[in-house]
Amino acid sequence: MTPSSPINASPAARLSAWDGFDAYLFDIDGTLLRDPGRVHFLAFAQCLRETLGHEISLSGIPIHGSTDTAILRDALRQAGVADSKWLHREPEILARLSEIVLQQRASFAVTVMPGVPRILTHLRLRDATLGVATGNLEAIGWLKLDVAGLRNFFTFGGFSDSFPLRADMIANAAAVARAQAGTAASICVVGDTPADIAAARANALPTIAVATGIFSLQQLGEHQPEFCVPTLETLLPPPASV
């Protein structure tokens, strides 16, 4: 499949261009939903204060397209905390991060991105295998999807608990997708950052890049994803009028 942008194609052409894969791996934040209250983001500081006694800022840390595990490591190293003081406690720290976020479930007010329910319903009706491939820790990722009313669309997920590198997380998620959809299944990654595109390419997988996060359509297009759209809604024809 050659790189293309279906933005200016007819609805029928858009549909046929992206709709032929056996399985899809969806990023969560910026792709499926947004957390305006930043519950997850703010939990990092509380977690590190409680577990290590350090007041650590995420200022200057790459967040978008990263993973929870990588964000944690980058923040600690930026703050000059020696690996010997925390690396052996990383599972404990990540578990506490998940606990803090789950305890604040009532504070979540997620926004579902345009067209997401329609896209997921369409893919499920044609029996595509749907999974998530996200930098979130597993408990946090499933919580966000549950709060957004999207959890039941997905049969599996790839998360960052054991995979600081996004490419490794994608590789793991793709292996699970092939276990469900067949060893020869074609797989497409759907994400909103250059990191999604790069991680997919590292695994020889095509990408649908969607400009609903912080990166513009032009910025994403510079990384030459196979498909690049302003919103997932543009991939489907408009709903039939009643």
Side-chain angles (χ1 to χ4, degrees):
M1 194 170 295
T2 57
S4 61
S5 173
I7 298 167
N8 297 317
S10 69
R14 287 200 299 264
L15 187 61
S16 63
W18 71 274
D19 197 35
F21 299 97
D22 300 310
Y24 294 79
L25 303 177
F26 284 84
D27 171 57
I28 294 180
D29 298 291
T31 300
L32 294 175
L33 55 84
R34 180 182 294 119
D35 168 26
R38 307 182 85 197
V39 172
H40 185 186
F41 177 86
L42 295 174
F44 278 92
Q46 180 181 343
C47 170
L48 294 171
R49 182 170 59 249
E50 290 182 3
T51 57
L52 298 177
H54 287 281
E55 293 290 344
I56 291 177
S57 171
L58 296 187
S59 177
I61 301 296
I63 300 294
H64 301 281
S66 188
T67 70
D68 283 356
T69 310
I71 291 168
L72 172 74
R73 294 180 177 185
D74 289 345
L76 287 165
R77 287 166 179 160
Q78 177 177 271
V81 181
D83 288 1
S84 60
K85 293 185 176 180
W86 62 267
L87 196 55
H88 64 289
R89 297 181 62 191
E90 186 174 72
E92 170 198 347
I93 298 168
L94 293 174
R96 182 57 188 145
L97 177 62
S98 292
E99 289 172 358
I100 291 169
V101 174
L102 267 60
Q103 288 167 0
Q104 298 184 64
R105 178 190 176 101
S107 299
F108 271 101
V110 301
T111 300
V112 176
M113 295 303 185
V116 165
R118 286 188 67 216
I119 287 288
L120 297 178
T121 298
H122 168 79
L123 291 174
R124 189 167 66 174
L125 286 174
R126 75 163 187 78
D127 293 326
T129 298
L130 301 183
V132 292
T134 173
N136 287 279
L137 298 174
E138 182 169 6
I140 296 173
W142 287 135
L143 173 65
K144 290 179 180 179
L145 293 173
D146 191 35
V147 171
L150 302 174
R151 172 66 180 86
N152 290 337
F153 284 106
F154 300 99
T155 59
F156 69 97
F159 303 94
S160 68
D161 303 63
S162 301
F163 302 103
L165 298 179
R166 196 171 194 93
D168 293 341
M169 179 272 293
I170 292 285
N172 176 256
V176 178
R178 291 192 175 102
Q180 292 195 10
T183 56
S186 58
I187 302 172
C188 184
V189 173
V190 187
D192 68 297
T193 72
D196 293 298
I197 301 168
R201 185 167 293 133
N203 287 280
L205 298 175
T207 311
I208 298 172
V210 55
T212 45
I214 69 164
F215 295 95
S216 69
L217 198 65
Q218 180 177 348
Q219 289 172 318
L220 293 173
E222 290 171 356
H223 295 269
Q224 297 187 318
E226 282 68 21
F227 310 100
C228 195
V229 292
T231 71
L232 290 178
E233 192 167 38
T234 61
L235 289 170
L236 288 174
S241 56
V242 179

